[in-house]
Amino acid sequence: MDLSTDVWGQLALEASQVYLGEDGKVRSPFANTTIEKLPDKVLLNIFSYLTHREICRMATVCKRWRMVAYDTRLWTHVSLRPEISGLHVGSLESLLALISIRFGPSLRYIELPIELITHTVLHELAAKCPNLTHMLLDFSTAMQLHDFSEMQAFPTKLRYLCICLSEVIFMEGFMRKIYNFINGLEILHLIGTYEKIEEEEEEIYEVINVHKLKSATPNLRVINLYGINFVDDSHIDAFSSNCIQLECLAVNFCNKVTGSTMKTLFQRSRRLTCLLMNGCSLQSEYVMQVEWEKSSIQELDVTATDLSTECLIDMLSRIQNLRFLSAGQINGFNDSVLKAWVEAGTARNLVALDVDSSDSLSDEALHRFLSRHGGQLHGLVLSGMPHITDQLWQSVLQLLVNAKILIMGTQERLGVNIHVDQLMDGIANSCPNLERLELRWDPENLRFSDKSQKAIDILRVKCLKLKCLVLSDGRYYEIVKANFERADRTTVVRTSTNCRVSNYYLLSNYKDLIFN
């Protein structure tokens, strides 16, 4: 815990002392110490590691704990969405009391569900929480909105605003009321209903007017339009026409985006360094029209698009300072693309590469590429390819000395065995900076011996920065999990059913792109 130096010093001094009790036996100075004797600042620090649900339970223990639990310093970041591990507030009256008594000037971040988004609540936040800079408004389950006709105030210092859109509720009545208050926004998230949409959607509603919104937000640095079924190239064009500070644009799973305005986007947005277009309907002819050699682009995601081999070669040969590339699930990404990329010399700054499920790439071509650029990579994803086994990984691990993220394996049942003990040993001895590791191989394909604990021990001891180790559920997962738990590293090992590792951790704007 982050206790102050003087507290730690006092505890260490007292712990080093012993005394004799009345019975003549040696006793610790803490023999009669209880938690009630802890200073308030120590108790506050302990509470800071709890969720708000747990803090509320602690408040019922005694008057002193209630006082500590209600300290506003514990309520700087609040989620009121119980379905997303947030706090449940039963009524608007309860929330208004919380804003006045518990949140106040300390509040920096809040998440509100649809039932708590009213003009009264927003008025109170504006009046009582002057330092509120981050807000999430969840309209995703809305079937109708509250009446905002009387709304006259809204938080004015917002730098980050996330709006989860409804499938059917038009937002313009609400948005019109807040346009005058959000011109200081730097980060905007509009989250659509991509995961809820059925394949055959009868009618698509433009539930928010992006063309009006862009006029109210001229200072945006980061725009994330995620899974919105009505967003198309005209909306990208609209933002680029007004947001000259734009550094990062993400339109992942906006499948109406074809790239027809990308050339104009880069001509206007000279500061744009990150473009994420996973799952878009990009057309190669539009992408090839972009003046890539004049752009500032450094991070690019074109995963699950239909770009041609010719387009990929043209694009990668002209982008001069690319450091992050995610280009998995593309049939056109083959050996000739890698070869041309190396020959062009434009992969010299690359630190992250994701070619998940790129079956057109051979292990020979990947080996040649990694022999040239493996030493500079911090993240490498070679998953989803049955022909890429532990043999390729064993041959290149010694090159990946700077790797922080590695993802390997496929969930398909293979005809060959993966010797995981040797693989773990190689990773431990080659990648001391490793933070995240995922092995996606089917448990039936993993082969390990009775001495596998030794390899796991080496990985645990040598990769001290390892935060996340993901394995498919099975016997080997149980062995690894038990090993780490015995060493008091209980949060490291996870199953592939509840965790997915990504190179996105290496994006410059990663923290700004997080939502939910």
Side-chain angles (χ1 to χ4, degrees):
M1 296 181 184
D2 186 21
L3 299 176
S4 61
T5 305
D6 59 327
V7 174
W8 274 121
Q10 182 64 28
L11 291 174
L13 178 63
E14 293 179 1
S16 66
Q17 299 172 345
V18 295
Y19 68 92
L20 295 178
E22 293 180 358
D23 56 3
K25 293 182 179 180
V26 176
R27 295 195 181 278
S28 163
F30 297 117
N32 297 316
T33 300
T34 63
I35 195 169
E36 284 81 9
K37 294 185 179 180
L38 285 176
D40 283 352
K41 63 181 179 180
V42 175
L43 200 59
L44 181 69
N45 195 282
I46 294 172
F47 277 30
S48 71
Y49 288 84
L50 303 177
T51 66
H52 284 132
R53 289 183 183 180
E54 293 167 332
I55 290 174
C56 288
R57 287 199 291 270
M58 295 301 101
T60 63
V61 172
C62 62
K63 289 182 178 180
R64 181 178 175 231
W65 283 30
R66 182 181 180 86
M67 179 188 70
V68 174
Y70 286 179
D71 192 302
T72 58
R73 286 171 290 184
L74 294 175
W75 299 86
T76 59
H77 293 67
V78 179
S79 172
L80 301 179
R81 297 191 296 165
E83 71 281 4
I84 316 284
S85 301
L87 195 64
H88 174 71
V89 176
S91 66
L92 288 174
E93 291 73 20
S94 299
L95 176 56
L96 294 175
L98 285 174
I99 293 172
S100 297
I101 300 169
R102 204 174 306 177
F103 299 168
S106 295
L107 188 67
R108 301 288 190 278
Y109 175 99
I110 192 167
E111 297 181 5
L112 295 173
I114 175 61
E115 60 271 17
L116 298 179
I117 305 174
T118 69
H119 73 273
T120 306
V121 169
L122 295 172
H123 282 185
E124 281 295 289
L125 287 172
K128 304 290 178 58
C129 305
N131 297 311
L132 182 62
T133 57
H134 291 62
M135 175 182 281
L136 183 150
L137 302 175
D138 188 353
F139 294 96
S140 60
T141 59
M143 297 309 294
Q144 73 176 72
L145 298 184
H146 292 281
D147 181 10
F148 293 100
S149 59
E150 297 182 15
M151 189 166 79
Q152 302 297 328
F154 192 78
T156 58
K157 291 187 178 180
L158 290 182
R159 292 195 316 105
Y160 170 110
L161 177 62
C162 178
I163 300 177
C164 301
L165 304 176
S166 166
E167 293 181 68
V168 294
I169 299 299
F170 294 93
M171 303 284 298
E172 196 52 33
F174 168 75
M175 297 302 295
R176 196 179 302 115
K177 289 290 185 178
I178 72 171
Y179 283 147
N180 292 333
F181 302 98
I182 60 174
N183 59 6
L185 278 185
E186 295 180 17
I187 303 162
L188 174 66
H189 294 260
L190 297 180
I191 310 303
T193 53
Y194 167 78
E195 296 176 353
K196 301 178 183 178
I197 295 297
E198 298 179 0
E199 291 187 6
E200 296 183 4
E201 187 69 19
E202 293 183 1
E203 189 172 357
I204 296 176
Y205 301 102
E206 191 165 342
V207 298
I208 195 166
N209 191 324
V210 172
H211 296 278
K212 290 185 179 179
L213 176 59
K214 61 97 178 180
S215 300
T217 53
N219 296 305
L220 289 176
R221 292 187 301 103
V222 178
I223 299 174
N224 178 25
L225 312 178
Y226 181 90
I228 306 178
N229 54 7
F230 64 80
V231 162
D232 57 26
D233 300 277
S234 69
H235 300 105
I236 295 176
D237 186 64
F239 274 121
S240 68
S241 68
N242 195 52
C243 304
I244 60 173
Q245 311 291 335
L246 191 59
E247 299 172 5
C248 175
L249 174 64
V251 287
N252 292 334
F253 306 109
C254 295
N255 56 22
K256 284 195 171 185
V257 173
T258 66
S260 62
T261 60
M262 279 178 66
K263 181 177 180 180
T264 305
L265 168 68
F266 281 103
Q267 288 175 340
R268 292 170 173 168
S269 305
R270 295 296 183 181
R271 299 184 181 183
L272 187 64
T273 58
C274 178
L275 180 61
L276 310 178
M277 311 186 83
N278 186 338
C280 293
S281 302
L282 295 181
Q283 295 185 23
S284 296
E285 59 181 296
Y286 296 141
V287 175
M288 294 174 70
Q289 291 173 5
V290 176
E291 296 173 306
W292 293 108
E293 61 278 0
K294 296 181 181 180
S295 74
S296 300
I297 197 71
Q298 296 179 16
E299 301 165 341
L300 182 66
D301 187 351
V302 289
T303 301
T305 57
D306 291 326
L307 297 181
S308 66
T309 299
E310 180 188 10
C311 175
L312 290 166
I313 291 175
D314 175 78
M315 179 177 67
L316 294 178
S317 298
R318 290 194 288 137
I319 300 178
Q320 298 300 312
N321 297 303
L322 195 64
R323 61 179 299 275
F324 177 106
L325 176 66
S326 186
Q329 305 173 45
I330 302 178
N331 291 331
F333 203 110
N334 53 29
D335 292 1
S336 59
V337 175
L338 280 186
K339 181 181 178 182
W341 196 12
V342 171
E343 291 175 350
T346 49
R348 59 185 176 275
N349 296 321
L350 191 71
V351 296
L353 177 64
D354 182 344
V355 286
D356 173 72
S357 302
S358 297
D359 293 329
S360 300
L361 288 173
S362 68
D363 51 358
E364 293 86 1
L366 284 167
H367 191 280
R368 286 194 297 271
F369 183 85
L370 294 174
S371 296
R372 179 79 172 267
H373 296 287
Q376 67 198 53
L377 294 181
H378 293 174
L380 178 60
V381 181
L382 299 181
S383 54
M385 295 179 277
H387 61 288
I388 304 300
T389 65
D390 55 328
Q391 291 186 351
L392 175 64
W393 281 102
Q394 289 283 23
S395 67
V396 300
L397 278 174
Q398 60 186 355
L399 304 170
L400 305 176
V401 292
N402 291 306
K404 296 180 180 179
I405 300 173
L406 294 178
I407 306 176
M408 56 189 76
T410 176
Q411 293 179 320
E412 296 180 40
R413 191 70 61 85
L414 303 178
V416 296
N417 295 325
I418 305 300
H419 299 281
V420 71
D421 288 350
Q422 294 92 316
L423 186 59
M424 286 293 200
D425 188 70
I427 293 171
N429 288 301
S430 303
C431 309
N433 298 316
L434 195 65
E435 297 179 11
R436 299 178 183 273
L437 172 64
E438 181 171 356
L439 274 62
R440 295 185 180 176
W441 283 295
D442 188 288
E444 294 299 319
N445 287 118
L446 298 182
R447 291 295 176 266
F448 50 93
S449 68
D450 295 336
K451 298 179 180 179
S452 62
Q453 290 284 1
K454 183 178 180 181
I456 301 169
D457 286 339
I458 294 173
L459 179 74
R460 177 171 46 76
V461 171
K462 291 197 172 184
C463 296
L464 295 176
K465 298 179 181 179
L466 191 63
K467 304 173 185 174
C468 179
L469 171 52
V470 182
L471 300 163
S472 296
D473 200 359
R475 186 174 165 224
Y476 188 70
Y477 160 76
E478 297 294 342
I479 292 173
V480 177
K481 185 174 179 64
N483 184 295
F484 273 77
E485 287 180 343
R486 284 195 297 271
D488 289 330
R489 295 177 67 183
T490 57
T491 61
V492 174
V493 184
R494 302 101 182 268
T495 66
S496 56
T497 57
N498 62 21
C499 179
R500 273 284 181 265
V501 176
S502 168
N503 268 0
Y504 268 22
Y505 292 102
L506 299 173
L507 289 173
S508 301
N509 294 99
Y510 171 70
K511 291 183 178 180
D512 294 334
L513 288 167
I514 297 174
F515 63 93
N516 272 355

